[in-house]
Amino acid sequence: VPCPRRGRAGGMDLAYVCEWEKKPKSNHCPSIPLVCAWSCRNLIAFTTDLRNEEEKDLTHMVHIIDTEHPWDVYSVNSGHTEVITCLEWDQSGSRLLSADADGHIKCWSMTDHLANSWENTVGSVVEGDPVVALSWLHNGVKLALHVEKSGASNFGEKFSRVKFSPSLTLFGGKPMEGWIAVTISGLVTVSLLKPNGQVLTATESLCRLRCRVALADVAFTGGGNIVVATSDGSSTSPVQFYKVCVSVVNEKCKIDTEILPSLFMRCTTDPARKDKYPAITHLKFLARDMSEQVLLCASNQNNSIVECWSLRKEGLPVNNIFQQISPVVGDKQPMILKWRILSATNDLDRVSAVALPKLPISLTNTDLKVANDTKFFPGLGLALAFHDGSVHIVHRLSLQMMAVFYGSSSQRPVDEPSLKRPRTAGPLVHFKAMQLSWTSLALVGVDSHGKLSMLRISPSMGHVLDMNMSLRHLLFLLEYCMVTGYDWWDILLHVQPSMVQNLVEKLHEEYMRQNAALQQVLSTRIVAMKASLCKLSSSTIARVCDYHAKLFLIAISCTLKSLLRPHFLNTPDKSPGDRLTEICSKITDVDIDKVMINLKTEEFVLEMTTLQSLQQLIQWVGDFVLYLLASLPNQGSPVRPGHSFLRDGASLGMFRELMVVIRIWGLLKPSCLPVYTATSDTQDSMSLLFRLLTKLWLCCREENHITEPDDALIDECCLLPSQLLIPNIDWLPINDGIISKLQNKQLVRLQFGKAPGLVGHTVSSQFDAFVRAPGQPKIDHLRRLHLGAYPTEECKSCTRCGCVTMLKSPNKVTAVKQWEQRWIKNCLCGGLWRKMPLSYS
């Protein structure tokens, strides 16, 4: 009979593991604590405990990977002289704090916005005083996910903004950036980053009687205060809580502290367990913005017990004598704050690491009930790792087991529960540090051999659901990422090829239900999201190219329109870009010159150098229109890239506007026009393409009333290849990332520093016809410049869509700068940039 409290074994499975190359004379140091941190951009930072026997000391490295290319690790020598005790990402996921056992705190940021190049810019120090807890100050942004509203049409109802004050504000209410740390000797230190780059630091004792702090954690209250929990490591001592207020007085940082109610762990007052668990080994607030719930774990050599406590307001009973004297007291009972135990586990194996959920799920009774009925558990479970190598996910309120994963060394439960598990010889491999992803659908662990494991966690914790429900769960989390701007890689881990089509359609439906302003804000993010979903199924792979081309088109259209200037500065009506859109949609003439006459051409006058510098982008527009029209006759094959544009009125309308703009610019400077190779010298290629494009656009300009193109148009498009040379479109390469290799649920084994020679899945093979082979000329996908077969320029590539562009700009014209500003921080699809080795070919 399996033991009754077993979690569901189907809830978690290994997606991939990544190991270090075995080097002679280096070994792992079991006494060193490891830390890891997971950012909302799906970057993971972690430390290792490798010690080289020849160099007696350790070099303290911080390793940073992006979850899609885990082998491409960026290791930086942190410059910390002692063991790194804390790593913390900021809210935007682009800066990292590291702190060590010598009191040094460093803030790392990306060099040139590259995810594999980091530098330490600022920091603070409490000399010789090890840091035990570290956190960024709260920026006042807090959302709540309402599971009961997951069927609502409005994103604002599903993900509501919670009133929450930042820890500190600048003039005008802008949140001030900075960090807070707690040291082992009972000091709290706060550093504030001023907008000019200056750092204000202050250090204060937590309370008058300073005592040793072995464990601590930091949380924030809605009122803008900070709460610090501390323990001296002994379960016979109380767990203390302090309120910390930070303010800026006369350009100096000031800290005020106040003592809050403390608590004793229940296992120490329970006669049966009185001296059983001498040490408190883990102390964590359940969430950074939930200062009224705390998780405690007490352990001995072999076992642990976990307790969850909650801070409640309670009435204080008052003696009758006082009630006669003071009527005021009689009216209203005085209230005090008191810690009450919510739940506790039975005796467990020894806990080695704890990971808490970051998904801000609403915990009202109705939300919890709906979550339970629909089996939607992300954000409700926290993970406990044990010394025998297993991991349990337990409910954050009741601590009941929800799912379990058995590591390599932990043995599965035997049929007879009375049988003690035999201890295997030697120390077991177990996770020393663990983190949940931002949607709680993945868990990363770094074990005592330095190996990194990525676990998938099912949203239903292994409960079998019908397809519709599974899709609803994933859709809800995709929408959450769309609204917050977080990376959604961890959701893609759960998407099966058969779900892709449905998810894309449903995502589009939900998006169309939002108001126009929100649709505008999310317009590019949803396209990027659809592209990453379509990568996961062989039937939708060609649409990936279309979505990336659409992102490129939207960006070009915005950039070129923003270059237009109104002729008279004080004209109150629409901007030239808006007027262009309006006139192009109103005048449906097929003759390009008749549309052009209706525009104020003086608004289109630009400098000659500007026009010339835009030629590559203009050429792409011209080429793409020609490619689309030439592929109209064989539109029956949806596997060809470009297919979805033939029914996309909005995109065809954009191309039409751009053709008009390009035509006007061509009158000013003919050399900026797209170059076509035509069979006759007299033919006006632009007006021919504009005429055909307009006819195609008229077929599908209204989304709910799309007609088939008539035979005459198809016949004319059939003639195009005999009139013009059809260009090769440089589609984006199908990405080399790991996600599509994980779909068959087989464990993938990787090594740090070695790109896997994985055989791509069948999807990419039918695609090779569209992508350039090695040794062929490479292209800068965003500047549309040819780099040659073996590029000499340093390039960067996007972690998400794989598009490649040069690091340094070859052109200094303002218009080009304006174009490059669009993707200097992130790729057009929102992915992070990483620097490529020069030999990429």
Side-chain angles (χ1 to χ4, degrees), residues 52-239:
N52 194 328
E53 280 176 10
E54 289 156 359
E55 316 156 4
K56 284 286 174 273
D57 54 341
L58 282 123
T59 27
H60 301 285
M61 306 291 276
V62 174
H63 308 283
I64 296 174
I65 59 164
D66 101 73
T67 52
E68 175 72 325
H69 306 90
W71 57 88
D72 187 15
V73 62
Y74 177 74
S75 304
V76 52
N77 183 348
S78 64
H80 284 296
T81 48
E82 291 291 330
V83 172
I84 297 170
T85 54
C86 306
L87 286 174
E88 282 289 326
W89 289 100
D90 72 344
Q91 290 280 326
S92 70
S94 49
R95 282 181 308 181
L96 179 70
L97 286 178
S98 62
D100 67 13
D102 195 28
H104 288 257
I105 300 171
K106 298 186 176 202
C107 174
W108 302 86
S109 50
M110 290 189 227
T111 322
D112 300 329
H113 308 291
L114 295 170
N116 55 359
S117 179
W118 294 78
E119 58 187 355
N120 166 226
T121 40
V122 291
S124 62
V125 61
V126 185
E127 203 59 63
D129 201 351
V131 175
V132 288
L134 175 68
S135 171
W136 288 89
L137 295 178
H138 204 287
N139 62 1
V141 177
K142 186 184 176 189
L143 284 180
L145 267 87
H146 299 282
V147 185
E148 69 160 323
K149 300 250 172 71
S150 65
S153 59
N154 181 354
F155 284 168
E157 285 179 39
K158 296 183 199 185
F159 317 111
S160 64
R161 181 90 187 252
V162 180
K163 201 169 156 44
F164 207 89
S165 301
S167 312
L168 196 61
T169 51
L170 291 157
F171 181 72
K174 188 175 188 284
M176 192 154 187
E177 295 187 312
W179 57 82
I180 173 169
V182 182
T183 69
I184 208 161
S185 73
L187 292 177
V188 57
T189 174
V190 174
S191 296
L192 305 176
L193 297 175
K194 289 185 66 180
N196 62 9
Q198 195 187 346
V199 182
L200 301 178
T201 300
T203 305
E204 195 57 63
S205 175
L206 269 172
C207 61
R208 284 205 198 91
L209 291 168
R210 262 170 75 185
C211 52
R212 173 186 150 80
V213 174
L215 302 167
D217 199 22
V218 179
F220 301 92
T221 67
N225 290 322
I226 302 166
V227 179
V228 173
T230 66
S231 156
D232 64 5
S234 159
S235 61
T236 53
S237 311
V239 177

Side-chain angles (χ1 to χ4, degrees), residues 369-538:
K369 186 182 181 312
V370 174
N372 202 31
D373 293 348
T374 58
K375 302 282 176 272
F376 178 83
F377 297 123
L380 289 176
L382 56 95
L384 303 173
F386 297 97
H387 274 264
D388 67 353
S390 64
V391 177
H392 292 181
I393 293 195
V394 297
H395 195 287
R396 61 190 283 177
L397 299 174
S398 66
L399 296 181
Q400 300 243 307
M401 180 113 71
M402 296 165 82
V404 60
F405 167 76
Y406 301 104
S408 46
S409 50
S410 65
Q411 280 144 352
R412 296 165 190 269
V414 210
D415 283 350
E416 289 176 324
S418 58
L419 234 68
K420 268 276 181 266
R421 218 179 276 170
R423 290 242 167 243
T424 42
L428 295 165
V429 180
H430 59 267
F431 289 139
K432 287 170 82 171
M434 213 170 42
Q435 281 267 320
L436 281 162
S437 76
W438 283 64
T439 59
S440 286
L441 292 187
L443 174 79
V444 72
V446 185
D447 68 24
S448 44
H449 285 182
K451 184 170 75 184
L452 181 125
S453 305
M454 178 65 70
L455 296 162
R456 230 190 238 104
I457 304 176
S458 127
S460 64
M461 296 291 170
H463 287 274
V464 181
L465 299 178
D466 62 9
M467 189 59 152
N468 211 3
M469 204 45 134
S470 309
L471 285 173
R472 249 185 68 183
H473 289 351
L474 295 178
L475 189 67
F476 189 49
L477 292 169
L478 281 168
E479 290 165 2
Y480 169 69
C481 289
M482 190 152 71
V483 171
T484 52
Y486 295 161
D487 188 77
W488 56 90
W489 179 89
D490 36 332
I491 305 175
L492 299 180
L493 278 178
H494 298 267
V495 176
Q496 291 303 310
S498 55
M499 300 176 173
V500 170
Q501 186 73 32
N502 268 338
L503 269 177
V504 171
E505 282 167 18
K506 286 201 162 75
L507 197 63
H508 184 75
E509 274 169 36
E510 289 295 324
Y511 167 78
M512 294 311 285
R513 290 164 75 180
Q514 308 312 311
N515 61 33
L518 186 57
Q519 283 193 23
Q520 180 77 37
V521 172
L522 303 176
S523 59
T524 51
R525 210 172 279 161
I526 186 170
V527 177
M529 207 169 248
K530 288 177 182 172
S532 59
L533 285 165
C534 285
K535 246 179 223 163
L536 302 176
S537 157
S538 53

Side-chain angles (χ1 to χ4, degrees), residues 778-793:
K778 298 287 183 298
I779 186 163
D780 180 325
H781 292 113
L782 297 180
R783 296 189 180 90
R784 308 311 300 180
L785 296 172
H786 291 275
L787 303 175
Y790 300 99
T792 51
E793 284 295 314

